[in-house]
Amino acid sequence: MLRLQAVGAVINMMTTALRSRKSLYFYIVVIAIAFAYSVNSVSTVAVAASSITFGLPLAMAAMVGIMCERTGVVNIGIEGTLLTSAFFGFFVAALSQNLIWGLLAAIASGAVTGLLLALLTVSWKMDQIIAGTIVNILATGLTSFFYKQGYSLPAIFPRWSIPGLSDIPFLGRVFFQSGPITYFGLILIFVLYVAMYHTAWGLRTRAIGEYPSSAETSGISVKKFKYINVVIAGAFGGLTGAYLTLELVGSFDRGFSAGKGFTALAIMIFGRWNPIGALLAAIFFGFAQALANQLMIDGLVAIPGPFINMLPYVLTIVVLAFSAGKVRGPAAAGQPYEREQA
Amino acid sequence: MATLLQVKNVTKSFGSVIANNDISFEVAEGEIVALLGENGAGKSTLVKSVFGLVRPDQGEIFIDGNQMAPGDTAAVIASGVGMVHQHFKLVPVMSVTENIILGDEPKNGLFVNVKKAEQKVRELSEKFGLEVDPTANIEDLPVGTQQRVEILKALSKDVRLLIFDEPTAVLTPQETDELILVIKNLAHLGVGVIVITHKLREVMALADRVVVLRDGKVVGTTTPKETNEAGLAQMMVGRSVVLEVEKGVANPGKPVLTVKGLEVFDDRNLRAVKGVDLEVRSGEIFGIAGVEGNGQRELVEAICGMRLRAKGEVLVSGAATKDMHPHAVHEAGVSHIPEDREKHGLVSSYSISDNLILNQFDQAPFARGWFRNMGEIRKNADLLVKKFDIRTTSPAALASSLSGGNKQKVVIARELSQDLQVLIAAQPTRGVDVGSIEFIHKQLISARDNGAGVLLVSAELDEIISLSDRIAVMSAGKIVAIIDSKGADRDYIGRLMAGLDK
Ligand SMILES: Nc1ncnc2c1ncn2[C@@H]1O[C@H](COP(=O)(O)OP(=O)(O)OP(=O)(O)O)[C@@H](O)[C@H]1O
Ligand SMILES: [Mg+2]
């Protein structure tokens, strides 16, 4: 019964999406891919697959921002969460020679950074930007200080080919030959979307992010909600950190997260604080990077490497410059909430 | 009847202000208790303590004989208490239904059952005669409709005790009468009711018992049978209050505000003002009567440069004013007391003294070149706080700490203390106590007598009739009649407002 409803909700969502004006963009993208595929199938598949690979961590990190800001807490500490969890994920996995322990450690340490942020902003009512900066500085400092060279992972998470689905041309290679965290992360993004717009939790969360006293006067504990959401978001950030080190790269270095936590904030804004919107925005970012890479590999254009590496940051600036003033986030994000003003 | 609510010796202070000082009172099943008191007397604070939104410093609160943990709103709601808040607790970007179900969502497995909720809202709305569109977004609704949503939200649960904090401030007379009936019916069914209102007529019509607060203390308890409106006013203010408006004859001069062929669209892009022409002369009060939502808000906003004028023009003393430039319109000599003081009148997170110079901060004497002149700003604040009797601990306090009526006084003090040719007053006495209404009315009349043209928009027909020199009746976006207020017939105007007579 429940499963049916979930499926119903997803189908409903997809059909309305197909009927909307946005569907035009969808068809354009499909046609463009089909055209590129007919011209050069190998490169097209490679670009599409890398778009997901590059985009997914950004999308997952953006979910951290969305969950927090929707509850009224601006989280600029995502970068610190990614760094901390990648660090713990890597070293726990390396020391125990067990990827699962690493994964759990990454998630737990991510949740702890969330707890720290919640403590600073919700209980101590510290300015949220300063609190996020504290998380980032602590993460950078501690992970650099305790970093040791000479450790390595037993392996990275293997790719799982989903029987049947992975044989579909194009789609199979792009979506159904990925690692476990990729599948899990993608599913969680859709779950978050459905939860945000179709469950009581989502309704309450959004109400708190817009106007906390509306929730408080409805008998909802704003403080409790903020704590729970910020900690869950931290855990989600931890999963992202685990993806980066245990599934994608397989190693850890100082400053490993390389600004992804900040790019994620741009993606959150670009995606209008909507999980699916942010996923699409992240795939777009991933696509830009994958395309540039592929063009270089194919020798079609001679872009110097540093420029390709610059791409996500340049895109971030462009996106933020264009969306500034046009999009509106949760109204109460960034404001400390004082109960007695209710 | 059994006692439902018992408040025992509740004390609450904010800094040095004692908002509630050792207050005790009771509400029995089926009883309607009116809380009466001046702005800042502590009424809202008291009911917020009951509802668990404010944690009293001392005292106990019992519901059905069970002591409530201080500050536990969820438990209070669970024991069957509903509250309509003075300042709306609605999320602007969400729908009517979403706002009503928030905190008690009907579910279908894991998911919120929006269809069922909308159906329920529709039924409630029908049952209580409070018309709303369940799918509309709150931010698109006029305040009167938002108030209905608040009321429906409180009624949507099975309540045993209902608290109304100024529910009628933004309702039309008809809606108010309906609400009075609803409340009486509920009381008949055994629901206990606490009503806070500044309208003495409602107190007389509704209350079984009246508890009067002054400066945070209970100064008396009475019943409508034992007293009358004047008696109630005297009890709450501590002096006798003139309830009728006293004004001399008007000396109208040249037109100061001219509106020609104005057409304006509302937030939903519907034509709300459909070609309005009017002329306000200096030295007169020009009232606009009308049921709320007939284009008055859009008209006022367009005149003030806050909303696009699709067609037509607005002239101040003969000179055309710039569209969409509120500051330029203000510079031309138009002062504006906005209908929504929270949104357009004040910056809650600024101090009272800054709020008192909001639209003059860059002008002498409040600015010297690039710098603010703090001495003058403070002096101005001290003066106005005194002159307008704004009840606060200090002008440096944040505007958000003021009681509702005192916020209104800040806006009025600012707008009336400037050089003005035109004063636009939209619902100027909404939520203000009788003593202050008397004061504000005097201020409007003295602005008139000093040569300003006053455009008064009010949902209170009595206020329009007693203050205005000429009355325009607005209905469905048009001015359907302009009549002299001398000998104006209340019923005739009422029929025009409803669009019955032509
Ligand atoms: N959060 C707060 N911080 C500081 N002072 C406050 C706060 N809330 C209320 N006060 C003060 O407590 C006093 C009582 O306020 P309250 O809102 O209870 O008045 P009220 O009787 O409801 O007035 P009104 O009729 O204007 O709504 C006022 O002096 C107000 O300034
Ligand atoms: Mg009040």
Side-chain angles (χ1 to χ4, degrees), chain B residues 128-388:
Chain B
F128 293 109
L130 297 162
E131 196 188 317
V132 293
D133 169 7
T135 58
N137 259 13
I138 296 294
E139 59 188 349
D140 299 330
L141 299 176
V143 272
T145 316
Q146 293 186 19
Q147 179 70 71
R148 277 179 270 172
V149 178
E150 273 278 341
I151 295 171
L152 282 177
K153 176 163 182 153
L155 294 173
S156 68
K157 288 155 210 155
D158 284 331
V159 281
R160 315 205 35 224
L161 175 66
L162 266 173
I163 301 168
F164 291 95
D165 195 350
E166 302 197 19
T168 59
V170 298
L171 294 185
T172 63
Q174 293 91 317
E175 286 171 335
T176 302
D177 291 341
E178 268 173 37
L179 183 65
I180 288 179
L181 281 183
V182 169
I183 293 178
K184 285 195 157 170
N185 269 334
L186 287 167
H188 230 71
L189 298 173
V191 176
V193 182
I194 300 175
V195 187
I196 297 174
T197 174
H198 289 294
K199 299 181 189 167
L200 303 176
R201 179 179 77 87
E202 292 166 14
V203 176
M204 298 298 289
L206 259 177
D208 296 319
R209 210 149 49 84
V210 186
V211 176
V212 183
L213 302 186
R214 197 189 314 148
D215 293 330
K217 288 203 264 299
V218 175
V219 293
T221 304
T222 182
T223 61
K225 285 202 196 77
E226 295 168 332
T227 184
N228 55 19
E229 293 189 23
L232 289 175
Q234 167 126 25
M235 245 177 127
M236 61 187 270
V237 185
R239 62 173 167 88
S240 66
V241 178
V242 185
L243 295 172
E244 285 95 52
V245 179
E246 294 165 336
K247 64 170 197 212
V249 284
N251 275 317
K254 287 193 306 261
V256 281
L257 175 72
T258 313
V259 174
K260 281 190 198 158
L262 193 63
E263 288 194 10
V264 188
F265 289 85
D266 66 10
D267 292 336
R268 295 165 152 203
N269 244 340
L270 301 172
R271 218 153 56 106
V273 178
K274 303 170 184 164
V276 161
D277 297 285
L278 58 85
E279 207 171 68
V280 181
R281 296 168 295 179
S282 76
E284 75 168 350
I285 298 183
F286 185 89
I288 294 187
V291 177
E292 269 201 294
N294 275 279
Q296 299 95 318
R297 176 163 72 138
E298 288 77 12
L299 174 65
V300 166
E301 289 181 358
I303 291 176
C304 295
M306 292 158 61
R307 184 179 284 275
L308 197 68
R309 303 166 190 158
K311 248 192 212 148
E313 51 180 353
V314 175
L315 299 102
V316 173
S317 302
T321 58
K322 247 176 141 176
D323 196 7
M324 291 305 281
H325 273 81
H327 194 62
V329 176
H330 174 252
E331 301 270 87
V334 179
S335 276
H336 177 205
I337 300 168
E339 151 183 354
D340 188 343
R341 61 178 168 244
E342 302 281 329
K343 199 158 146 199
H344 300 302
L346 293 165
V347 181
S348 321
S349 55
Y350 282 11
S351 67
I352 293 166
S353 51
D354 280 345
N355 270 295
L356 285 168
I357 55 150
L358 263 193
N359 44 17
Q360 299 154 277
F361 73 97
D362 56 345
Q363 293 157 17
F366 306 121
R368 257 188 319 222
W370 287 12
F371 296 96
R372 296 178 4 108
N373 188 343
M374 299 316 275
E376 283 297 327
I377 294 174
R378 207 167 307 132
K379 226 163 75 194
N380 175 65
D382 288 336
L383 191 87
L384 293 181
V385 163
K386 199 145 159 222
K387 181 170 168 206
F388 287 81

Side-chain angles (χ1 to χ4, degrees), chain A residues 340-341, chain B residues 14 17 19 38-45 86 166 198 401-405:
Chain A
E340 215 117 274
Q341 298 264 326
Chain B
F14 296 102
V17 183
E38 289 177 280
N39 296 128
K43 307 175 296 290
S44 294
T45 306
Q86 181 174 11
E166 302 197 19
H198 289 294
S401 72
L402 289 174
S403 78

